[in-house]
Amino acid sequence: MWDAEANDFASGAFYTTFGRDAAKKSKDGTKDSRTQNVTGGVHADGTPFDPNTTDLNKKIVKRYTYALTRGSLQDGPGANAIWNITNVTRPDRPLLYTTEAWAQKMSEDTEVIAAIKKDPSSPYYADGTDEGIKNAVRVLLDPYTNQFDNNIHPFTAEQSMDDYYAFMVWHRGLAIPRARNLNDPQVQQGKKLFMEWGCANCHKPSWKTGDDNYITSKYIADKPLPRYQNQTIYPYSDLIQHKLYMKNDIHGSWCRTTPLWGRGLSLLNTGAEDRLHDCRARNEVEAIMWHCYSKKSHAYSSAINFYKASKSDRDAVVKFLRSI
């Protein structure tokens, strides 16, 4: 993501696509080129999103999701998760987020076939024969079948673009909980140590946002979304990935620096204090210790300072983390 020699973002750091239309597949599901058509997006200022632009103001850096795969909130967590976690379709998401193996398995499940056979109104009923139902299940559950344009049962979108727009207005406007107890002497001591130990090298305290020339779906390009321009924010993250080399890790040990703002209210709001991407840490102390599991960890020196500190200093850092 970052080219140290060039002291600049690597080419792979930039977002290059926005959304997907349907895959190129025949309506009966027999032919499949495995090629998806890029939907494309539109900037807030009305210009088309072009990933090949040389205008830095129009380039979008990937900063959303744990794996840093998304560059726009309109195509990132929330907006995308409604589709790829709950499989709610909408006009710009006509494909199911499934696998061919699962679709095939469902089509071979005798209990599934028997249940559908009892319900002629089922979209998977087809001609009512075992083979007809089996084919309908396989095709309609296939991740490359356009749910709105097929010869078995064209569905209607479950989420309209008006509802999607309303969701994004709400989603973009969500606020972070206000920081608490910042004048507490123990919190101030914890912040001082947090800075001295180098934690802020990755958990960067503050940023100033730019002009928020976001990209959004071409399907709602005529509906401007709220813009949050030139605001000072305190996420405590550099929004890039580092390697921690934890045991049983994923993504080649790369971890996006988790924004810490609001995390201190986890116990109060959820009853749990789980930390890290897979919730392996039960609290802040365990999360910090995972940062120095390996001496190769990019955060080793900072975390080992915490490990060697007195209990009172460790408690101060934890209290600081819970205050922001």
Side-chain angles (χ1 to χ4, degrees):
M1 298 296 287
W2 184 260
D3 187 333
E5 292 186 4
N7 194 33
D8 198 358
F9 286 108
S11 59
F14 295 102
Y15 195 49
T16 57
T17 187
F18 187 92
R20 296 287 184 182
D21 276 331
K24 294 178 179 177
K25 187 170 185 177
S26 61
K27 291 184 178 182
D28 62 1
T30 57
K31 295 180 180 179
D32 180 6
S33 69
R34 292 298 187 275
T35 301
Q36 291 182 321
N37 304 316
V38 176
T39 297
V42 179
H43 282 281
D45 63 10
T47 56
F49 168 59
D50 178 6
N52 300 311
T53 182
T54 57
D55 183 352
L56 287 177
N57 184 48
K58 299 295 178 62
K59 284 191 173 183
I60 304 295
V61 176
K62 297 175 185 176
R63 56 191 182 278
Y64 295 108
T65 77
Y66 170 75
L68 290 183
T69 57
R70 302 285 171 174
S72 168
L73 194 62
Q74 286 66 251
D75 195 35
N80 203 49
I82 289 177
W83 167 67
N84 68 11
I85 293 179
T86 62
N87 265 317
V88 172
T89 58
R90 62 178 187 255
D92 66 336
R93 288 290 192 276
L95 309 178
L96 293 182
Y97 195 77
T98 60
T99 65
E100 291 177 287
W102 178 74
Q104 183 68 34
K105 192 69 175 179
M106 290 299 98
S107 73
E108 297 170 351
D109 190 314
T110 55
E111 292 185 4
V112 170
I113 303 301
I116 294 172
K117 205 166 187 177
K118 294 177 182 178
D119 181 14
S121 66
S122 169
Y124 305 96
Y125 189 78
D127 60 5
T129 66
D130 285 3
E131 285 304 310
I133 294 173
K134 180 178 180 179
N135 180 66
V137 170
R138 180 186 61 78
V139 173
L140 291 178
L141 296 185
D142 189 285
Y144 291 93
T145 295
N146 188 320
Q147 296 295 298
F148 315 140
D149 183 19
N150 61 77
N151 283 340
I152 296 176
H153 184 89
F155 293 89
T156 57
E158 297 168 286
Q159 183 183 48
S160 70
M161 294 311 292
D162 284 342
D163 285 345
Y164 168 65
Y165 172 76
F167 172 79
M168 288 314 307
V169 170
W170 169 80
H171 193 21
R172 286 178 60 83
L174 285 175
I176 299 300
R178 183 177 181 179
R180 303 152 306 283
N181 306 316
L182 296 182
N183 292 324
D184 182 294
Q186 189 180 20
V187 170
Q188 291 182 347
Q189 172 66 3
K191 180 178 181 179
K192 178 175 177 290
L193 295 170
F194 185 87
M195 300 298 181
E196 289 179 352
W197 292 344
C199 306
N201 291 341
C202 298
H203 288 283
K204 181 179 177 180
S206 67
W207 291 87
K208 186 172 182 179
T209 63
D211 63 0
D212 194 15
N213 192 22
Y214 62 77
I215 51 174
T216 189
S217 170
K218 66 181 182 182
Y219 289 80
I220 57 171
D222 60 332
K223 294 184 175 183
L225 290 163
R227 295 172 74 172
Y228 301 96
Q229 302 161 287
N230 305 313
Q231 297 191 19
T232 300
I233 60 174
Y234 296 86
Y236 282 86
S237 172
D238 55 11
L239 300 177
I240 61 176
Q241 290 179 317
H242 304 274
K243 279 196 171 185
L244 297 186
Y245 294 97
M246 297 184 290
K247 184 178 181 180
N248 297 325
D249 213 349
I250 60 174
H251 295 300
S253 292
W254 287 103
C255 299
R256 186 190 72 157
T257 306
T258 299
L260 299 178
W261 56 0
R263 294 289 289 149
L265 292 173
S266 176
L267 180 62
L268 178 64
N269 290 330
T270 71
E273 299 180 85
D274 301 336
R275 295 291 189 272
L276 298 180
H277 60 283
D278 55 4
C279 297
R280 66 174 65 194
R282 292 169 292 182
N283 50 50
E284 295 92 342
V285 173
E286 288 191 6
I288 296 170
M289 288 296 91
W290 275 111
H291 283 57
C292 59
Y293 175 80
S294 168
K295 289 185 177 180
K296 295 190 296 182
S297 167
H298 295 181
Y300 180 79
S301 61
S302 298
I304 208 68
N305 283 330
F306 179 88
Y307 173 75
K308 293 180 178 180
S310 65
K311 184 178 185 304
S312 62
D313 280 349
R314 292 198 301 270
D315 288 346
V317 170
V318 169
K319 190 169 184 179
F320 165 67
L321 294 175
R322 293 183 178 183
S323 74
I324 57 176

